[in-house]
Amino acid sequence: MAINQAMCGTYKKEITVGIHFWLDHTRTGSSGISADTFKIAMFTSSRTDANEDLTAYTTTNEVSGTAYTAGGAALGSVTLGLGDNSSSVPTAYLDFADTTWSTSTITGARCAVIYNSTLNTAGTGATVNHAAYPSVCVLDFGADKSSSAGDFTIQYPANDANNALIRIA
Amino acid sequence: MFEANGEGDLGSVKVFTSSNGGHSPETMADMAMNKIMVINEKAPPPIRDQAVAYRNNVRNVILYYLTEMAKTERTTIWALLRQQGHDDMAEIIRRL
């Protein structure tokens, strides 16, 4: 399949059973639960399995270059909001600080994958399992993007119920 | 419904890149406006036009102060380099 912007199917299943922790939280009978680290990694146009069927981050066709480390960058300033969208549907939404690779030379980035880097080994032996580095979603840049001795910035959408990057309505 | 913003919509995230330098104040102003104000393309034309005009005014204010910020930051770097005895490098910064 081709590169396609989408939330990964396995992620929908995994959040339903509570595998991913975007933020610190508590649960009755449990002590505080710490947030996982989520990262965003970029890939070239050769990464044709970057679509809704992607299950995990792997290094295949990941971009390389000055100031870019394999695995990508951690998402910072994670916030969770709740509000009605324009259809008056209560919507939970996640936002992050923009990601910038400063003073970088990165060539041919065509898409990105957000994934859970805390889960660095596969979870097995349960009713619902997950791969190592399970993926959240694929972001399609629409064209190859490059920086040359400059800055490479991914800007996430406005933080609201209608525009935020990850929304549950 | 679970959705990644604008599934299949290429505008959901925006990518800004630069060569031989950082982002320009104009680019940074555009990035700021993307966060501050989103105009619904389906809004009635008179309201949308008014929103676009307001957006442009806000962008111009942000652009002005971002440009001034870049200048004043260079002044700080220029002064620091001079204090350290790097007059030649300070001059390069001053001429930016």
Side-chain angles (χ1 to χ4, degrees), chain B residues 25-95:
Chain B
E26 287 79 6
T27 297
M28 298 301 290
D30 289 338
M31 291 168 72
M33 289 312 302
N34 290 338
K35 292 283 189 179
I36 293 170
M37 191 174 174
V38 178
I39 300 172
N40 189 337
E41 292 300 319
K42 295 176 183 174
I47 294 174
R48 190 175 64 231
D49 292 347
Q50 209 170 20
V52 168
Y54 178 71
R55 179 189 168 99
N56 289 338
N57 286 339
V58 173
R59 181 188 180 276
N60 288 338
V61 171
I62 291 174
L63 174 58
Y64 172 78
Y65 283 103
L66 283 174
T67 304
E68 293 302 304
M69 181 64 224
K71 289 179 185 173
T72 197
E73 179 72 2
R74 280 180 215 134
T75 300
T76 301
I77 296 170
W78 169 81
L80 186 63
L81 288 170
R82 275 182 49 120
Q83 288 169 8
Q84 299 296 322
H86 304 297
D87 287 7
D88 52 342
M89 293 175 69
E91 183 62 13
I92 292 171
I93 297 296
R94 192 187 68 81
R95 289 173 180 270

Side-chain angles (χ1 to χ4, degrees), chain A residues 5 148 151 153 155 165 167, chain B residues 5 12 14 16 18 20 31:
Chain A
Q5 175 152 321
S148 176
D151 292 340
T153 299
Q155 184 183 40
L165 182 67
R167 290 173 281 137
Chain B
N5 177 37
S12 54
K14 297 181 187 301
F16 297 89
S18 63
N20 299 315
M31 291 168 72

